[in-house]
Amino acid sequence: MTSETRKLVFNDQRALQLVLGAPAESKRVAAELERATGVSLHVRGTEVTLAGKPEAFDLVERLLRQMFALARTGRPMRPTDIARGVEILSQDPDAELTSVYDDVVITKGGGKSISPRSLAQKRYVEAMRRNALVFGVGPAGTGKTFLAVAMAVRRLQDKQVRRIILCRPAVEAGENLGFLPGTLEEKVSPYMRPLYDGLYDMLDGPKVTRLMEQGVIEVAPLAYMRGRTLNDAFVILDEAQNTTREQMKMLLTRIGVGTWTVVTGDPSQRDLDGREKSGLNHALRVLGGIQSVSVSKFSPNDVMRHSLVQDIVRAYDRDARQRAERREGRRAAAAKSTANDGSSDGSASSRGAS
């Protein structure tokens, strides 16, 4: 395909440098952009020349101009913003990056804000604002639990709820609580660690401790929810793929007046006994279409950890698809073999009768 060029001129070199990074970093940013779009960048002062696939020029120009406008407002630029911007505009060419990056869920101590970093995260945040029950479903590292905790803290700060309840099923990779040393609280703590981590990232340690002592924040195993009615609370059920159908129904029927509930999980990482059916998959199937219930789905492209994690998730997904195709092929072959055996038996019987 013929390579073409397009020249863009920006009127603020400092803002352009914020978008592309310092000279050493700009080479890496340009290389990532070329891998994603097939368009290379050549920068001289305030002039940027695009070269490569002309069909991708419009996307790259929209990206650079929107990022440039954000930089001129004083917004801090992250090295990953360019890659995230490409993903967002590839999914929705009319998307406004400002509406994604500047949608602040909560501002932490020191002025650092927590905002969506992908289109899927933006839709997830909007769903949590609108709906009483939200399911966040997808691979690890997509921000499902982190953003849910941020939204919970925000609603608590805004006095929209009186308490936060964070729970998980105490099932992990085949381990059993009875084999862990210590008191019940000490046994449960490792299972709750990801939820504690989110809380301590939003609030300073002494405040988290004080709120937990006052019962404003509760972190507990799912079993502790039985028999309760949860009013005026923000409830997060994490690792929901490890719930049974009965446990999921139990939690969802605890929802009281003024309560918001977020259920997060990754169906591909189920640690239940093989005989148990996942309550998450069942809930997604039976609750579809109910008003005020929303499902936000994440893909490997939404993984916010090291880029290697995206590749790992995709590799496992590809392996799962291939194994499913092989199983389907074996079933089809077995069905065909059974049909042929039946046909042969019928022919033999007919010959014997004649």
Side-chain angles (χ1 to χ4, degrees):
M1 183 174 293
T2 304
S3 176
E4 298 182 12
T5 62
R6 177 184 296 183
K7 192 170 294 185
L8 309 176
V9 178
F10 299 86
N11 58 5
D12 187 334
Q13 187 171 356
R14 181 178 177 278
L16 184 61
Q17 190 174 50
L18 286 175
V19 172
L20 299 176
E25 188 177 55
S26 66
K27 292 180 180 179
R28 183 179 59 80
V29 171
E32 290 180 358
L33 186 62
E34 184 170 6
R35 279 196 298 271
T37 64
V39 175
S40 62
L41 298 184
H42 303 278
V43 183
R44 176 175 292 180
T46 59
E47 188 176 280
V48 178
T49 302
L50 311 183
K53 298 179 179 179
E55 63 269 23
F57 283 176
D58 287 345
L59 183 151
V60 175
E61 180 173 355
R62 281 197 305 273
L63 170 69
L64 293 179
R65 294 203 182 280
Q66 289 197 42
M67 295 293 291
F68 178 78
L70 283 167
R72 295 200 72 185
T73 65
R75 181 191 182 279
M77 294 283 113
R78 299 175 183 172
T80 57
D81 283 343
I82 286 284
R84 297 298 172 200
V86 170
E87 291 175 9
I88 292 169
L89 293 176
S90 295
Q91 295 176 47
D92 182 0
D94 298 322
E96 291 292 333
L97 297 183
T98 301
S99 68
V100 178
Y101 293 149
D102 284 357
D103 183 1
V104 177
V105 179
I106 190 173
T107 301
K108 303 189 296 182
K112 185 178 179 181
S113 62
I114 295 174
S115 304
R117 293 174 58 197
S118 72
L119 204 56
Q121 286 194 351
K122 168 70 172 176
R123 291 166 178 162
Y124 181 48
V125 167
E126 290 177 341
M128 288 191 286
R129 288 179 175 137
R130 293 193 310 265
N131 298 283
L133 174 59
V134 176
F135 289 87
V137 182
T142 50
K144 305 183 299 296
T145 303
F146 186 75
L147 285 173
V149 172
M151 185 62 72
V153 172
R154 179 60 184 266
R155 287 201 184 276
L156 182 67
Q157 291 178 340
D158 291 346
K159 301 189 186 310
Q160 295 177 344
V161 298
R162 290 189 294 108
R163 55 186 172 152
I164 297 173
I165 299 173
L166 312 174
C167 59
R168 303 177 91 194
V171 177
E172 291 291 336
E175 296 180 28
N176 187 297
L177 283 175
F179 293 110
L180 296 175
T183 65
L184 179 60
E185 183 177 350
E186 291 169 336
K187 290 180 179 183
V188 164
S189 183
Y191 293 91
M192 302 295 113
R193 191 73 260 165
L195 299 175
Y196 285 118
D197 289 344
L199 282 174
Y200 283 108
D201 201 37
M202 312 288 166
L203 303 167
D204 62 77
K207 186 168 186 178
V208 172
T209 301
R210 185 170 66 254
L211 292 174
M212 292 182 72
E213 289 173 349
Q214 295 170 349
V216 176
I217 296 178
E218 179 181 352
V219 183
L222 177 59
Y224 281 33
M225 300 300 110
R226 188 174 298 279
R228 303 173 59 182
T229 300
L230 308 175
N231 292 321
D232 298 316
F234 197 107
V235 180
I236 299 174
L237 170 59
D238 193 31
E239 298 292 345
Q241 74 276 3
N242 289 330
T243 62
T244 64
R245 294 181 180 183
E246 293 75 18
Q247 288 173 327
M248 179 65 77
K249 180 181 177 183
M250 179 271 291
L251 178 81
L252 297 182
T253 53
R254 302 303 97 202
I255 298 174
V257 178
T259 290
W260 305 79
T261 303
V262 179
V263 177
T264 69
D266 178 3
S268 72
Q269 293 195 16
R270 187 167 62 91
D271 297 310
L272 289 171
D273 184 291
R275 294 167 294 182
E276 295 280 8
K277 300 296 184 182
S278 172
L280 176 60
N281 292 340
H282 182 250
L284 292 173
R285 187 172 72 251
V286 303
L287 299 180
I290 294 180
Q291 191 173 6
S292 291
V293 176
S294 175
V295 178
S296 294
K297 294 186 177 181
F298 296 85
S299 75
N301 290 335
D302 299 305
V303 172
M304 297 295 157
R305 295 175 182 167
H306 193 288
S307 58
L308 175 61
V309 177
Q310 287 190 353
D311 295 334
I312 291 171
V313 171
R314 291 191 186 102
Y316 274 97
D317 286 348
R318 185 165 55 250
D319 178 68
R321 287 194 300 271
Q322 291 170 349
R323 285 187 287 112
E325 289 169 0
R326 287 195 293 270
R327 284 196 300 270
E328 187 60 36
R330 287 194 294 269
R331 281 196 291 266
K336 184 177 181 180
S337 176
T338 301
N340 289 339
D341 289 346
S343 175
S344 298
D345 292 344
S347 299
S349 298
S350 297
R351 286 194 299 271
S354 61

